[in-house]
Amino acid sequence: MPEVTAARVPGTELTDEPLVEIKDLRVHYRTTKGDVPAVNGVDLAIRRGEILGIAGESGSGKTTLAVALLRLLRPPGYVAGGEIVFRPRGSPPVDLLELDERRLRALRWKALSYLPQGSMNSMNPVMRVADQFRDVILEHRRDLRGDVDAMIRRLLRQVGLDENVARMYPHELSGGMKQRVLMAISIALEPDLVVADEPTTALDVTIQRVILQSLGDLRDQFGVTLVVISHDMGVHAQLVDRVAVMYEGKVVEVGDVRQVFKRPQHPYTKSLIESIPKIGEAPWREEQRSRVP
């Protein structure tokens, strides 16, 4: 079992106040053989200031839950029922599923942001990095036009990148650099919530560590609430405060990450934890030994 190292920096605010409350959320996909439930009656609270992990194998409903929360769901998927109550700073609570497009657009990036899966394909290949920042910032905050270049340089430094990256095209960046550029864009307007979908996919282990540290810094330095979606329980062990485990479209267990790893309550959670490779463990060696006469 990996060491569970997620820890809060002293002084970082974490409260029991819910930033998001998901209630009886149901998301279905239409098929020629009838509707298929992908998220089936999920109840989940996201506390302000925390890093919440959502774990589960492929097909468990993790990403569908995220895109429903962000109102990015596309046909044949549709929300069959439930509500998602969001409490942005300085504004009254809203049900994200009931907002019209104009009000939803006003919340995106400024209060609700997304770090998509697959950094390789999430940037415009024919635009310089700085122009991609400007697109997001000026679309929502035209009053920052005179400050945008200084903002871009500051944001790049905050995720550990050189200011010269602003002049580059995406093909000139490594996978880890692209992921950090997307992180910087996602926090440019200081949102309340960032949803990161499989942020370490397709990255080598050394870069994964850098990305996880950068994600932790977003919360600790800027007070951003993070939802981290990953099938990798090792990622959750290193990063999150609490973890919610999904299985067949339902949340089967939620708890403090240390408690979940030490005393998992659901058999599926236990199986996920046991699937993590252990140092020195090589099943093929045991198989070889068993064949030796």
Side-chain angles (χ1 to χ4, degrees):
M1 183 185 298
E3 182 183 358
V4 183
T5 57
R8 175 165 299 279
V9 171
T12 305
E13 183 181 359
L14 172 62
T15 71
D16 289 331
E17 176 194 357
L19 173 64
V20 179
E21 288 182 282
I22 301 171
K23 303 176 182 179
D24 192 28
L25 181 64
R26 287 166 281 125
V27 182
H28 295 179
Y29 286 91
R30 294 186 175 93
T31 74
T32 55
K33 296 183 179 180
D35 287 7
V36 176
V39 174
N40 193 6
V42 165
D43 294 294
L44 186 63
I46 303 168
R47 299 171 184 167
R48 191 179 297 275
E50 77 171 341
I51 302 179
L52 174 69
I54 300 180
E57 64 190 326
S58 296
S60 62
K62 307 184 305 297
T63 295
T64 298
L65 176 64
V67 295
L69 166 62
L70 295 160
R71 285 276 301 273
L72 296 174
L73 192 65
R74 295 290 179 264
Y78 71 97
V79 175
E83 59 179 351
I84 303 174
V85 179
F86 179 51
R87 295 179 170 84
R89 283 172 298 191
S91 301
V94 294
D95 183 348
L96 292 175
L97 300 180
E98 297 295 329
L99 288 181
D100 59 41
E101 284 297 324
R102 180 185 62 81
R103 294 176 64 200
L104 183 64
R105 187 177 182 83
L107 284 178
R108 285 194 175 131
W109 297 108
K110 289 198 294 186
L112 191 61
S113 193
Y114 184 41
L115 183 58
Q117 183 174 354
S119 60
M120 303 295 182
N121 304 316
S122 299
M123 299 179 69
N124 189 323
V126 297
M127 290 177 65
R128 296 183 189 272
V129 167
D131 293 328
Q132 303 198 40
F133 273 93
R134 290 190 188 97
D135 262 6
V136 169
I137 295 170
L138 298 181
E139 176 68 24
H140 296 274
R141 291 286 306 275
R142 293 190 179 278
D143 58 302
L144 296 175
R145 183 176 297 277
D147 304 319
V148 69
D149 290 334
M151 281 183 66
I152 293 169
R153 292 193 296 270
R154 172 175 56 79
L155 288 162
L156 289 173
R157 289 196 303 269
Q158 285 171 341
V159 295
L161 293 174
D162 191 274
E163 295 176 8
N164 291 330
V165 168
R167 297 197 295 270
M168 296 181 178
Y169 288 96
H171 72 270
E172 299 178 275
L173 308 178
S174 68
M177 292 170 74
K178 289 178 186 176
Q179 193 71 303
R180 281 184 281 173
V181 166
L182 289 172
M183 276 187 212
I185 292 174
S186 73
I187 63 164
L189 297 176
E190 300 181 2
D192 294 281
L193 177 67
V194 175
V195 178
D197 190 3
E198 297 284 3
T200 59
T201 296
L203 301 176
D204 64 61
V205 292
T206 55
I207 299 301
Q208 284 185 21
R209 179 67 181 177
V210 172
I211 296 302
L212 292 178
Q213 183 62 56
S214 298
L215 284 169
D217 289 344
L218 296 186
R219 188 275 306 276
D220 296 330
Q221 294 178 16
F222 306 105
V224 173
T225 302
L226 280 165
V227 173
V228 177
I229 297 168
S230 179
H231 65 279
D232 187 344
M233 291 298 283
V235 167
H236 297 298
Q238 295 178 66
L239 180 64
V240 309
D241 301 307
R242 290 191 306 140
V243 61
V245 179
M246 290 193 70
Y247 178 61
E248 294 186 344
K250 297 181 179 180
V251 172
V252 296
E253 182 167 355
V254 184
D256 176 85
V257 66
R258 292 174 177 81
Q259 172 262 308
V260 168
F261 271 81
K262 189 175 293 185
R263 291 182 299 277
Q265 301 299 305
H266 195 277
Y268 179 69
T269 307
K270 185 176 180 182
S271 297
L272 282 178
I273 294 169
E274 289 176 346
S275 72
I276 302 171
K278 299 175 179 63
I279 295 175
E281 185 180 77
W284 58 269
R285 289 179 181 166
E286 297 300 324
E287 185 179 343
Q288 280 187 339
R289 291 192 188 105
S290 67
R291 292 177 181 173
V292 175

